[in-house]
């Protein structure tokens, strides 16, 4: 019988519920919930393209947990049509690509922008949990693919915020 303070890591392997991999999976759950709320907000405000990006991002996050559980690698992917390298480049130079400099969100921004900002912050926390879950004793990462995927998801959320701020999404 499984004790209540333990859970399945994979198959019949039991670990404490505070095991770093279980903490990471809890952050994935939180990230999924935040993506759903942001998706709903974008739909309610009429931002269909933002909602579609958030839906795609939700599927992407769900694929990461599959990769973790099954030991699969996350390779050769895009998000919102961007490669990982493009996400990094465009998020680091938003004025060049989107005509909008870096900014700090305020309470005057749209509910959609603020919801996406919240998702971005949760992605960052999930990325830290992934680091704890997958770091090796020598400081290397056993799952650099998941670490990269989360980092670039954060970049995508920043790009969505930039484009919202620049008025580049139409309401429909």
């Amino acid at each position: 019988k499984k004790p209540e303070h333990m859970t399945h890591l994979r198959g019949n392997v039991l670990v404490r519920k505070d095991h770093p991999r279980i903490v990471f999976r809890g952050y994935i759950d939180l990230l999924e919930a935040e993506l759903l709320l942001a998706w709903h907000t974008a739909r309610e405000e009429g931002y269909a393209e933002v909602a579609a990006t958030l839906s795609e991002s939700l599927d992407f996050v769900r694929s990461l947990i599959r990769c973790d559980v099954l030991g699969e690698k996350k390779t050769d992917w895009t998000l919102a049509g961007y490669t990982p390298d493009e996400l990094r480049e465009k998020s680091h130079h938003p004025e060049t690509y989107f005509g909008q400099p870096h900014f700090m969100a305020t309470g005057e921004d749209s509910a959609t922008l603020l919801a996406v900002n919240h998702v971005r912050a949760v992605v960052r926390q999930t990325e830290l949990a992934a680091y704890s879950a997958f770091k090796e004793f020598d400081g290397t990462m056993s799952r650099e693919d998941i670490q990269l995927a989360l980092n670039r998801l954060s970049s995508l959320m920043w790009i969505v915020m930039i484009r919202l701020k620049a008025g580049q999404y139409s309401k429909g």
Side-chain angles (χ1 to χ4, degrees):
K1 184 175 178 182
K2 180 181 81 61
E4 287 302 315
H5 71 282
M6 298 190 82
T7 192
H8 294 275
L9 181 61
R10 65 183 174 285
N12 63 357
V13 176
L14 292 176
V15 294
R16 293 181 337 266
K17 289 187 177 182
D18 67 350
H19 186 282
R21 294 272 292 278
I22 302 308
V23 171
F24 165 68
R25 291 176 187 175
Y27 273 98
I28 290 286
D29 288 345
L30 176 61
L31 181 53
E32 288 181 22
E34 294 300 336
L35 280 162
L36 285 165
L37 287 170
W39 178 8
H40 178 79
T41 301
R43 261 193 22 242
E44 288 293 307
E45 286 197 333
Y47 290 111
E49 187 179 351
V50 174
T53 297
L54 293 167
S55 174
E56 178 186 357
S57 298
L58 178 63
D59 291 341
F60 183 77
V61 167
R62 288 176 174 167
S63 76
L64 296 179
I65 199 68
R66 174 185 167 85
C67 288
D68 174 34
V69 171
L70 299 179
E72 299 172 351
K73 289 287 183 193
K74 187 72 175 168
T75 59
D76 299 324
W77 53 266
T78 61
L79 271 172
Y82 298 122
T83 66
D85 288 343
E86 290 170 329
L87 285 165
R88 184 181 190 287
E89 173 67 18
K90 291 178 188 299
S91 69
H92 280 71
H93 305 284
E95 195 159 12
T96 300
Y97 293 99
F98 306 109
Q100 172 65 49
H102 291 279
F103 69 96
M104 300 286 287
T106 73
E108 295 178 8
D109 288 311
S110 72
T112 298
L113 188 146
L114 296 176
V116 172
N117 187 48
H118 191 90
V119 168
R120 186 190 57 75
V122 173
V123 173
R124 286 290 189 202
Q125 292 302 307
T126 306
E127 186 181 358
L128 291 173
Y131 178 74
S132 293
F134 300 117
K135 70 181 173 188
E136 300 294 333
F137 290 112
D138 64 0
T140 61
M141 294 290 296
S142 64
R143 294 305 306 259
E144 289 181 6
D145 59 323
I146 291 176
Q147 196 75 36
L148 175 69
L150 289 166
N151 187 274
R152 296 308 185 265
L153 180 60
S154 172
S155 297
L156 176 61
M157 294 303 111
W158 179 238
I159 289 168
V160 171
M161 290 173 61
I162 289 285
R163 291 189 59 205
L164 280 163
K165 189 72 164 180
Q168 296 178 357
Y169 290 110
S170 60
K171 288 188 175 186

